[in-house]
Amino acid sequence: MKKSEKINGYGERFGLIIAFFIMIITISFLSDRFLTLPNILNILRQSSINGIIAVGMTMVILTAGIDLSVGSILGLTAVITADLLHSGIPVFLAILLGLLLGFCIGFVNGLLITKFKIPPFIATLGMMTLARGLAFTYTQGKPITGLNESFRVIGTGMIGSIPLPVIIAALVFFLGYLFLKRSRHGENIYALGNNETAAEFSGIPVKRYISLVYALSGFLSALAGMILIGRLDSAQPIIGQGYEFDAIAAVVVGGTSFTGGHGSVWGTLIGVLIIAVINNGLNLLDVSSFYEQVVKGVVIAIALLLHRLAQKKN
Amino acid sequence: MIEQNNFILSMENIIKIFPGVTALDDVTFRAEFGEIHALVGENGAGKSTLMKVLAGINSPDSGSINLDSEIVEIGSPGKAQSLGISMIHQELALIPYLTVGQNIYLGREPHRKIKTFIDWKKLYKQAKVQLSRLDMDIDPKTLVVNIPIAQQQMVEVAKALSINAKIIVMDEPTSALTDKETKILFRVMRHLKDQGITILYISHRLEEIFEIADRVTVLRDGFHISTSIISDISSDDIVKMMVGRELGDLYPKKNVPQNECVLEVKGLSSGKLLNNISFHLNKGEVLGISGLIGAGRTELARALFGIDTFDHGEIFINGDSVRIRSPREAISMGLGFLTEDRKEQGLFLGMSVRENITISVLKEFSSFGFPFFSKLKTLTEKFIKQMNIRTPNIHQKVKNLSGGNQQKVLIARWLNLNPRVLILDEPTRGIDVGAKAEIYTLIDRLAGDGVGIIMISSELPEIIGISDRVIVIREGSITGEFSREELSQDKIMQCAATGGIDES
Ligand SMILES: Nc1ncnc2c1ncn2[C@@H]1O[C@H](COP(=O)(O)OP(=O)(O)OP(=O)(O)O)[C@@H](O)[C@H]1O
Ligand SMILES: [Mg+2]
């Protein structure tokens, strides 16, 4: 299909890619540890969790929605999965149940939005508090540590020299791309993000798609949570707090628009990498954590600005 | 010949190129002081683009603009305003949740001594004055959402007056107006003309042009074809110049309805909007629904299509009683609905022509959820050719198409579905004569294939030209029904306005 559409897409993301490379070059001059293979793999590993969440967030924002509950869903599913593992059920079953739980919580978000007409911001804000609260009550505030070794592979395993989380994230991005840009469901999601009334009048099951998108976001948050506790070997009820910020930032830096119907997972991928590189660079350069947030904010703002400029040119 | 310096405006050798389209190709356009100058041409001819160049929205690739014989650079809409140029857009650009007064003075609010504070009292007083110049008796504190489109149109005019515009551009101002409202607008236009204001007027309705314009300019495919004094030219001449060929019979009528009923409605009532509506529609029949704007025609269509619920009544499709609770169900039962508001309810503006046309059939053209893009491409190209949709390629974003071509895209979307019943709500609004003829032919062909067609239209000649039968709706009730043989404009108007025909 879309030779010209693709070219168009690259054009739009051009500014962003430039910003990304400027950043890489700058940091590599400041620190010679930056562009080494172990560090690059490290960046990719660190960004895999945000990446997985951000793919779900991309879909949600494409429908002109927002999901603030991703961090809390991650936390709740993480502690429950950890507990299931302790209870001795087979590892794959624990994983399956944990993912299913994430899916269901997301689906509830979707129902609140479509059936009860609660605005996404409010519905998921409520879920954010509720799921976090449940995580705390469930664990009585105590971390669950010492997880099954074969489970932990999901967070610590390597295939060749590439960390397993990176491969999972790559797979999620690829599937996300197939779903959004190649399947009819993706096209329907773009359409409803573009004009919900028109979508409904064209016979698209708008509510079903909206619910699906939040459910997928919940599912992916749960998946990200498993990778995280696998690596940490511990599930704390506070885990994942604030993750919604990085995910939303990645999506928006990646050029997906809040008004819906416009954007892509590849943009989000660049957004995720930009944020990961900022974090890593600040670490390597020993920037005090007080300044970290400030620098992060400024860099994101600059990236957005470049993006806008490139878009205007187009 | 008129002396050069009589021109208040001359746009010389304007070229404007969009990716893939030359919208204006060396167009020279001149307007005299205090004239009403009509601008006509097919959809996509470049009318709006030319006027947007004048209003500082599009910047030309080359060419120059003279105002009062002085070369000006119009870089922005703000600059255009300060030069006394005001444009009323094809799509109204008022802000719905601001008041009428706020809209009129948007960005130019009268202020108190300290500039940050708006002088509301003065604003509303001045707004009132502007409105009364147009014989408009509405409270400037009303929210724009709460007034009908015709009045919104007038608010736009008031806005233009308030900046002391010397040139007012009106891009298809009458397409959403009733005849009566059009009359009022024309009166205002003549009044403005007498005050020395130049009006540039875009319309697809030739009768209107002969009624109101002093001169007319025809554009075709981005070229300037001719400019003539209105009394020197005939309607046929204009049409010929617009489409570049002779246009045959505007209303082809070949097909006779079949005897089989495809849709029947019994006793449909909904609050105050619809009152005991009953009618039937046969296969291959074109049923015209006439009435004034706001009579309940769109509401009827929405109820049929499952968008709005209704209190009483029954719907039968092919003889079976059905319940339609959503557009999705309506579509699955073989209904199609072309809405009157294409931007708000029809188009995916940020998406491509291909995506807009094929959204309705994605499922049929997919296996395991993945569409065959090459087939969708072929399908789209077929429609582009068949309906003569002007677009550089199938990937063009629909927002970049001209209004008429957007409408064709939407019609293509519904044709895709091979509906049993197709409801068309003002399908030719904003569409040029050539395209209109194409759409009428299409409707006739569909009818020939056995599709039942409900045609809602405010244009009487069109309703009369194309319908097998017409029902007239007034204040939510059917007030008349006419077979093709009995039809006349007078009868319809009488039923629409007063609710029945005097038997005398
Ligand atoms: N922003 C844009 N980007 C790309 N192409 C454009 C853009 N605006 C207009 N065009 C193209 O320029 C041509 C002229 O469009 P324009 O809107 O001026 O037509 P028009 O004469 O006003 O038609 P209509 O009667 O349908 O409103 C069309 O082919 C249209 O698709
Ligand atoms: Mg136009």
Side-chain angles (χ1 to χ4, degrees):
Chain A
M1 94 191 206
K2 357 189 157 185
K3 209 162 170 195
S4 69
E5 276 173 38
K6 265 191 185 154
I7 293 170
N8 240 326
Y10 288 139
E12 238 170 60
R13 261 176 257 136
F14 192 64
L16 209 59
I17 294 172
I18 300 264
F20 184 49
F21 278 107
I22 293 176
M23 225 160 75
I24 289 181
I25 293 166
T26 319
I27 303 175
S28 66
F29 273 115
L30 295 175
S31 160
D32 45 8
R33 268 184 303 159
F34 180 64
L35 277 188
T36 56
L37 188 64
N39 189 50
I40 291 172
L41 286 177
N42 189 28
I43 292 175
L44 289 177
R45 195 166 46 83
Q46 283 170 352
S47 57
S48 58
I49 287 169
N50 186 28
I52 291 169
I53 300 173
V55 168
M57 190 67 80
T58 307
M59 297 182 192
V60 168
I61 293 181
L62 276 176
T63 67
I66 187 89
D67 189 351
L68 300 177
S69 65
V70 287
S72 298
I73 295 181
L74 185 154
L76 181 60
T77 54
V79 292
I80 289 183
T81 309
D83 198 43
L84 285 173
L85 285 168
H86 272 194
S87 77
I89 65 168
V91 170
F92 83 91
L93 195 62
I95 294 178
L96 211 67
L97 287 173
L99 293 175
L100 189 69
L101 179 65
F103 188 88
C104 291
I105 302 175
F107 193 72
V108 171
N109 276 335
L111 286 184
L112 290 174
I113 292 159
T114 55
K115 279 259 183 301
F116 299 99
K117 311 254 181 280
I118 302 173
F121 191 94
I122 313 267
T124 59
L125 185 70
M127 186 58 82
M128 171 175 161
T129 318
L130 177 68
R132 184 64 67 195
L134 287 175
F136 273 105
T137 28
Y138 189 83
T139 56
Q140 292 300 310
K142 289 192 272 296
I144 303 173
T145 46
L147 304 179
N148 187 316
E149 277 311 312
S150 57
F151 170 83
R152 290 198 55 205
V153 172
I154 193 172
T156 56
M158 302 282 271
I159 292 184
S161 55
I162 303 178
L164 190 56
V166 175
I167 292 176
I168 295 175
L171 205 65
V172 167
F173 268 97
F174 183 66
L175 291 177
Y177 159 74
L178 280 186
F179 180 73
L180 282 177
K181 284 282 164 144
R182 289 274 138 180
S183 84
R184 69 183 171 92
H185 305 297
E187 202 158 307
N188 286 339
I189 287 169
Y190 276 90
L192 84 88
N194 234 278
N195 185 339
E196 202 174 311
T197 315
E200 200 185 328
F201 290 3
S202 310
I204 296 174
V206 169
K207 290 183 176 168
R208 226 181 288 168
Y209 276 116
I210 291 180
S211 303
L212 174 69
V213 152
Y214 284 91
L216 285 176
S217 176
F219 174 90
L220 290 173
S221 305
L223 178 62
M226 291 185 192
I227 293 174
L228 189 58
I229 57 172
R231 205 169 76 212
L232 299 175
D233 195 16
S234 147
Q236 303 199 3
I238 194 81
I239 200 169
Q241 194 171 44
Y243 278 26
E244 61 282 348
F245 173 77
D246 273 2
I248 294 170
V251 173
V252 174
V253 167
T256 298
S257 98
F258 267 125
T259 50
H262 185 89
S264 78
V265 287
W266 298 136
T268 299
L269 178 60
I270 302 172
V272 168
L273 292 177
I274 286 183
I275 289 175
V277 166
I278 298 173
N279 283 335
N280 179 267
L282 293 173
N283 247 326
L284 288 182
L285 304 176
D286 282 329
V287 176
S288 125
S289 60
F290 294 132
Y291 296 111
E292 224 178 276
Q293 297 286 337
V294 179
V295 176
K296 216 158 130 182
V298 170
V299 174
I300 288 174
I302 292 173
L304 278 175
L305 203 69
L306 279 172
H307 177 59
R308 262 263 168 267
L309 289 178
Q311 228 173 9
K312 268 216 174 126
K313 272 245 172 80
N314 235 263
Chain B
M1 258 319 280
I2 309 146
E3 294 288 308
Q4 177 79 25
N5 53 12
N6 257 356
F7 293 118
I8 180 168
L9 165 73
S10 79
M11 303 175 74
E12 306 282 336
N13 309 95
I14 305 287
I15 296 179
K16 174 70 194 175
I17 299 172
F18 292 113
V21 197
T22 305
L24 297 173
D25 198 343
D26 202 12
V27 171
T28 293
F29 175 82
R30 303 193 181 106
E32 288 171 32
F33 183 78
E35 74 166 339
I36 297 181
H37 193 134
L39 199 54
V40 299
E42 287 186 288
N43 297 126
K47 306 178 295 290
S48 297
T49 307
L50 184 65
M51 291 300 109
K52 283 182 188 163
V53 167
L54 177 61
I57 297 162
N58 287 340
S59 57
D61 294 300
S62 77
S64 64
I65 300 175
N66 295 273
L67 268 183
D68 282 331
S69 313
E70 265 176 59
I71 292 202
V72 289
E73 281 294 332
I74 305 178
S76 68
K79 182 76 193 295
Q81 282 197 359
S82 65
L83 290 169
I85 300 165
S86 177
M87 178 160 178
I88 300 173
H89 289 275
Q90 202 163 352
E91 297 80 31
L92 291 181
L94 297 174
I95 300 175
Y97 287 98
L98 291 184
T99 63
V100 168
Q102 283 174 311
N103 267 287
I104 293 178
Y105 287 102
L106 196 65
R108 299 169 293 115
E109 293 87 353
H111 50 74
R112 293 168 189 278
K113 277 203 197 89
I114 303 171
K115 288 204 174 174
T116 358
F117 296 105
I118 296 175
D119 188 344
W120 291 107
K121 235 177 159 172
K122 193 164 162 202
L123 185 148
Y124 284 115
K125 216 171 100 197
Q126 289 182 359
K128 188 98 196 156
V129 172
Q130 298 297 353
L131 290 168
S132 64
R133 278 175 76 184
L134 302 173
D135 284 345
M136 279 214 14
D137 186 29
I138 60 169
D139 183 357
K141 288 182 184 155
T142 327
L143 290 185
V144 161
V145 272
N146 296 332
I147 62 175
I149 295 204
Q151 294 198 345
Q152 294 186 19
Q153 196 76 256
M154 292 296 179
V155 173
E156 291 265 20
V157 178
K159 189 171 171 179
L161 291 181
S162 73
I163 65 162
N164 290 322
K166 286 181 290 185
I167 301 176
I168 300 181
V169 179
M170 299 186 177
D171 196 350
E172 297 192 35
T174 57
S175 61
L177 300 189
T178 61
D179 285 351
K180 208 170 119 206
E181 290 160 347
T182 303
K183 290 257 148 38
I184 298 174
L185 179 69
F186 282 1
R187 206 176 64 223
V188 170
M189 285 168 67
R190 290 200 185 94
H191 185 62
L192 295 174
K193 177 180 144 178
D194 292 341
Q195 299 175 8
I197 293 172
T198 301
I199 298 176
L200 309 179
Y201 180 76
I202 301 180
S203 176
H204 287 294
R205 297 191 181 157
L206 294 184
E207 325 88 72
E208 290 181 352
I209 286 165
F210 281 96
E211 185 179 341
I212 189 87
D214 301 308
R215 294 197 303 156
V216 56
T217 289
V218 181
L219 295 183
R220 181 170 80 229
D221 285 338
F223 291 102
H224 175 267
I225 302 294
S226 80
T227 297
S228 3
I229 295 175
I230 200 78
S231 51
D232 293 351
I233 197 169
S234 77
S235 170
D236 286 348
D237 295 336
I238 294 184
V239 171
K240 218 184 307 172
M241 286 191 282
M242 274 169 65
V243 298
R245 63 192 145 89
E246 292 272 2
L247 205 63
D249 188 6
L250 193 55
Y251 305 110
K253 190 74 204 162
K254 291 192 223 77
N255 289 292
V256 235
Q258 305 170 16
N259 251 336
E260 198 179 327
C261 179
V262 55
L263 173 77
E264 185 168 9
V265 173
K266 279 189 186 160
L268 197 77
S269 297
S270 172
K272 282 184 193 156
L273 297 171
L274 298 171
N275 181 18
N276 197 19
I277 301 258
S278 301
F279 66 91
H280 69 96
L281 173 71
N282 281 356
K283 270 190 161 180
E285 182 178 36
V286 180
L287 174 67
I289 300 190
S290 188
L292 302 178
I293 287 175
R297 298 168 306 169
T298 298
E299 287 69 21
L300 173 62
R302 288 172 63 97
L304 285 178
F305 201 62
I307 298 168
D308 299 332
T309 54
F310 49 87
D311 309 331
H312 305 285
E314 225 177 333
I315 299 172
F316 300 85
I317 292 181
N318 285 346
D320 301 325
S321 171
V322 292
R323 281 196 61 197
I324 303 173
R325 283 161 302 191
S326 68
R328 201 172 152 68
E329 288 185 354
I331 291 168
S332 72
M333 289 171 200
L335 261 55
F337 177 31
L338 184 81
T339 53
E340 70 180 323
D341 187 341
R342 53 178 173 250
K343 289 253 157 78
E344 292 295 319
Q345 306 182 339
L347 294 166
F348 305 110
L349 285 172
M351 296 174 81
S352 71
V353 172
R354 200 282 289 156
E355 288 167 321
N356 268 277
I357 290 183
T358 60
I359 191 87
S360 53
V361 287
L362 272 186
K363 198 168 179 183
E364 286 71 54
F365 282 80
S366 302
S367 78
F368 301 105
F370 291 97
F372 302 107
F373 288 109
S374 61
K375 283 192 189 164
L376 294 176
K377 179 168 180 256
T378 320
L379 184 72
T380 308
E381 279 163 352
K382 189 190 90 188
F383 277 115
I384 289 179
K385 200 155 157 255
Q386 181 188 327
M387 303 180 66
N388 201 4
I389 300 173
R390 264 182 227 188
T391 170
N393 56 54
I394 67 170
H395 304 298
Q396 177 74 306
K397 295 235 165 91
V398 157
K399 69 172 170 221
N400 292 336
L401 297 191
S402 77
N405 286 302
Q406 291 177 340
Q407 184 74 322
K408 291 187 197 170
V409 164
L410 281 180
I411 296 180
R413 182 192 296 166
W414 288 115
L415 294 188
N416 258 335
L417 283 169
N418 298 318
R420 279 196 279 225
V421 174
L422 186 56
I423 307 169
L424 305 168
D425 196 354
E426 306 283 3
T428 63
R429 178 175 288 173
I431 284 196
D432 69 63
V433 264
K436 264 186 189 167
E438 283 161 23
I439 287 176
Y440 299 145
T441 312
L442 207 76
I443 291 177
D444 191 52
R445 210 182 65 220
L446 286 172
D449 293 343
V451 181
I453 291 175
I454 295 178
M455 167 99 171
I456 300 173
S457 171
S458 302
E459 287 195 43
L460 288 178
E462 158 175 298
I463 278 269
I464 290 173
I466 197 159
S467 309
D468 295 300
R469 198 155 48 90
V470 172
I471 55 181
V472 185
I473 293 187
R474 178 173 183 269
E475 289 176 3
S477 305
I478 295 184
T479 52
E481 176 169 347
F482 306 99
S483 68
R484 187 168 177 75
E485 295 71 40
E486 309 168 320
L487 278 176
S488 77
Q489 297 216 10
D490 292 344
K491 285 187 193 164
I492 294 181
M493 273 322 291
Q494 220 171 14
C495 287
T498 63
I501 295 186
D502 300 332
E503 302 292 341
S504 57

